[in-house]
Amino acid sequence: MRLRRFASALTMATAVTMSAPLAYAQPAADVAPVVEPFSVQELLGPYPSDLPARENFISVLDGFTAIRDTRPDLIRRNLDLTVEINNGASAVEQQRALFDSNHERLLSLSEGLGAGLGDAFRVALRDGRLPKTQALLGGEVGRAVGVTNLSLLEKSHWDNPRPFEVAPERIHYYFGDGVSGAADPYVEVGGTSSYPSGHTSSSYLNGILLAGMLPELAPQILTRASEVGNSRIVLGVHFPLDVMGGRIMGQAAAADRLNDPRFARLVDEARTELRGQLEWSVGMPLDEYIATDTPYRELDTALAEFRDRMTYGFDPLEPGMVNDVPAEAAVLLRGIAPALSDDERLDILRQTAIPAGYPLDQVGVDGGWLRIDLAAAAATAAGTA
């Protein structure tokens, strides 16, 4: 059943991404790179970043408390936006949302690689040629996510009901076939808390690490991560503020992982594996192949989509708020701009950040995570903006 589901997912991931599939080139060499999984000890660790740097992510997400307690108008707007996105979803958006609900984040993120390279990636994954990448980023809970990054504690803290339970009469319900899309995405989450979105946080965590492995496509991969979050709104199982909070948490969790030198070494090894296998698959250097491939999104479109989903059209709550991008976030550009110093990476994050004061943004040491426009920062750092 697992293999059949993966094969269906591979077909579906290709079908929903490509209108004119681009066949990737034959390998340049007869012998593929050696496949060498992580050892059991490497996977087990333990690693310092297995526990969040702050013990949990409640403090970086706590901008929600004041909104829920003092801004009923914003809570109503949060629901109205959910209804607008859910009710107005096209058939393609519904299909993609059901796919994202039913499959591991790595398959969704693979679409950010483009038509041909995404296909090559999924074939390599299916054939077991990416064991390190799969171990870190794949499965229901890859090693990078782990137990403490699942948002369970944070959800329990706020215990916020979901849109389809708050306003069932206003939500359109979408159901899949159980293979290419979730049969019933509502029964899976009924009675559980909505804030923050776990699908979103894990997509950003894995997407940030994957973007560092393939910096040529970082904005597109990150935009696909944002689409996974938006898919939760399409289904009516999350609000925009849940998804915005999921982005905050995913970024903070990725920073924890990349600021842990021992865990960052695993990411570097997976990067070497991934790039080697993909170059063998397509038969040429990746930058040359990417230039000929059909992208998931053109760069300008990807950057615009990502930025729109940073705030979902909410007005600033505190236009005069003053804060800074967290210094520990500089490492989010580590794989994209390895030659730069942390100070230089942080400067790029500051230059590309949105203004302070939007919903969920905060002052103090836990503020500033909402402001990070990582897609724009990645494009700037890679020299593609």
Side-chain angles (χ1 to χ4, degrees), residues 58-68 158 195 359-362:
I58 290 172
S59 62
V60 298
L61 294 167
D62 202 34
F64 182 67
T65 300
I67 292 172
R68 189 173 65 172
W158 280 285
Y195 182 82
L360 302 184
D361 201 5
Q362 303 181 82

Side-chain angles (χ1 to χ4, degrees), residues 35-96:
V35 173
E36 185 177 357
F38 289 122
S39 69
V40 172
Q41 186 57 56
E42 286 176 312
L43 286 177
L44 288 178
Y47 295 93
S49 58
D50 287 342
L51 295 176
R54 298 166 178 77
E55 297 185 1
N56 56 63
F57 296 98
I58 290 172
S59 62
V60 298
L61 294 167
D62 202 34
F64 182 67
T65 300
I67 292 172
R68 189 173 65 172
D69 292 349
T70 66
R71 293 296 302 267
D73 59 322
L74 191 55
I75 293 299
R76 286 194 298 271
R77 179 59 180 153
N78 198 31
L79 174 59
D80 290 343
L81 278 172
T82 304
V83 172
E84 180 181 322
I85 292 170
N86 164 263
N87 290 187
S90 68
V92 170
E93 289 171 329
Q94 296 168 32
Q95 180 187 51
R96 292 175 73 81

Side-chain angles (χ1 to χ4, degrees), residues 25-308:
Q26 292 298 312
D30 293 333
V31 181
V34 174
V35 173
E36 185 177 357
F38 289 122
S39 69
V40 172
Q41 186 57 56
E42 286 176 312
L43 286 177
L44 288 178
Y47 295 93
S49 58
D50 287 342
L51 295 176
R54 298 166 178 77
E55 297 185 1
N56 56 63
F57 296 98
I58 290 172
S59 62
V60 298
L61 294 167
D62 202 34
F64 182 67
T65 300
I67 292 172
R68 189 173 65 172
D69 292 349
T70 66
R71 293 296 302 267
D73 59 322
L74 191 55
I75 293 299
R76 286 194 298 271
R77 179 59 180 153
N78 198 31
L79 174 59
D80 290 343
L81 278 172
T82 304
V83 172
E84 180 181 322
I85 292 170
N86 164 263
N87 290 187
S90 68
V92 170
E93 289 171 329
Q94 296 168 32
Q95 180 187 51
R96 292 175 73 81
L98 288 164
F99 178 88
D100 290 342
S101 179
N102 202 45
H103 297 95
E104 61 179 79
R105 306 296 90 77
L106 190 53
L107 283 178
S108 295
L109 292 171
S110 72
E111 296 180 355
L113 276 60
L117 196 63
D119 188 28
F121 175 89
R122 291 185 290 272
V123 169
L125 201 65
R126 181 199 64 193
D127 291 347
R129 292 190 281 113
L130 297 172
K132 292 180 177 178
T133 306
Q134 172 71 25
L136 288 188
L137 308 181
E140 298 302 323
V141 184
R143 189 63 180 86
V145 174
V147 176
T148 58
N149 294 329
L150 285 176
S151 75
L152 299 178
L153 178 63
E154 292 75 16
K155 286 176 181 291
S156 176
H157 177 80
W158 280 285
D159 194 24
N160 199 62
R162 293 176 182 266
F164 73 95
E165 294 173 320
V166 171
E169 74 287 351
R170 299 182 66 188
I171 295 296
H172 290 176
Y173 296 83
Y174 305 123
F175 302 95
D177 59 11
V179 178
S180 61
D184 189 339
Y186 307 97
V187 71
E188 296 174 358
V189 298
T192 63
S193 178
S194 75
Y195 182 82
S197 166
H199 273 71
T200 305
S201 63
S202 62
S203 293
Y204 274 100
L205 169 53
N206 287 338
I208 289 166
L209 300 186
L210 183 62
M213 297 176 191
L214 295 168
E216 301 93 335
L217 295 167
Q220 288 82 358
I221 293 169
L222 294 166
T223 300
R224 184 64 179 98
S226 79
E227 186 183 16
V228 173
N230 193 70
S231 288
R232 307 304 284 165
I233 308 174
V234 168
L235 293 178
V237 299
H238 276 293
F239 298 95
L241 288 178
D242 301 339
V243 170
M244 292 163 61
R247 178 172 67 85
I248 290 173
M249 180 175 168
Q251 291 173 159
D256 284 349
R257 287 305 198 187
L258 292 171
N259 277 310
D260 176 354
R262 290 178 55 218
F263 197 88
R265 182 183 65 80
L266 302 185
V267 177
D268 291 343
E269 290 188 20
R271 171 189 170 118
T272 300
E273 169 195 80
L274 175 60
R275 296 185 68 86
Q277 289 288 346
L278 288 180
E279 287 203 344
W280 175 79
S281 293
V282 302
M284 64 180 74
L286 288 183
D287 58 344
E288 294 181 17
Y289 183 78
I290 289 168
T292 70
D293 200 1
T294 302
Y296 160 72
R297 296 284 192 274
E298 296 294 344
L299 179 60
D300 287 348
T301 301
L303 295 178
E305 283 189 23
F306 188 93
R307 178 155 287 203
D308 285 346

